[in-house]
Amino acid sequence: MTYSIRLPQDVETRLEKLSAQTGRSKTFYVKEAILEHLADLEDYYLAVSRLESNLPGIPLEEMEQRLGLAD
């Protein structure tokens, strides 16, 4: 799918500079930025949804243990 967006000039300049420095296309970096930010937004809205559903929380110690982070 193709999208058309308008970027502020300073963002466009930064994107052009990065593209020239790395040899990758501006499209590559735009896609990377969207994918990274999209994942963050999905996580955020999932967390908000769960908070609004009043699901029980998990104590930090238990989460650390589940993730193998406990000392």
Side-chain angles (χ1 to χ4, degrees):
M1 181 165 283
T2 302
Y3 292 93
S4 206
I5 61 169
R6 292 185 194 271
L7 298 173
Q9 186 57 50
D10 62 322
V11 174
E12 175 65 20
T13 300
R14 291 172 61 197
L15 190 57
E16 286 175 350
K17 185 177 179 180
L18 180 62
S19 177
Q21 288 175 340
T22 62
R24 292 196 181 249
S25 69
K26 292 188 292 184
T27 299
F28 171 83
Y29 288 111
V30 170
K31 281 199 289 188
E32 287 296 305
I34 290 171
L35 291 173
E36 181 65 31
H37 193 63
L38 187 58
D40 290 344
L41 287 171
E42 289 168 337
D43 290 345
Y44 171 79
Y45 285 110
L46 176 61
V48 168
S49 173
R50 288 191 175 167
L51 282 172
E52 289 173 348
S53 298
N54 294 318
L55 296 176
I58 300 171
L60 177 59
E61 294 79 17
E62 183 180 337
M63 182 56 69
E64 288 174 338
Q65 197 168 27
R66 287 184 185 188
L67 296 173
L69 301 173
D71 291 330

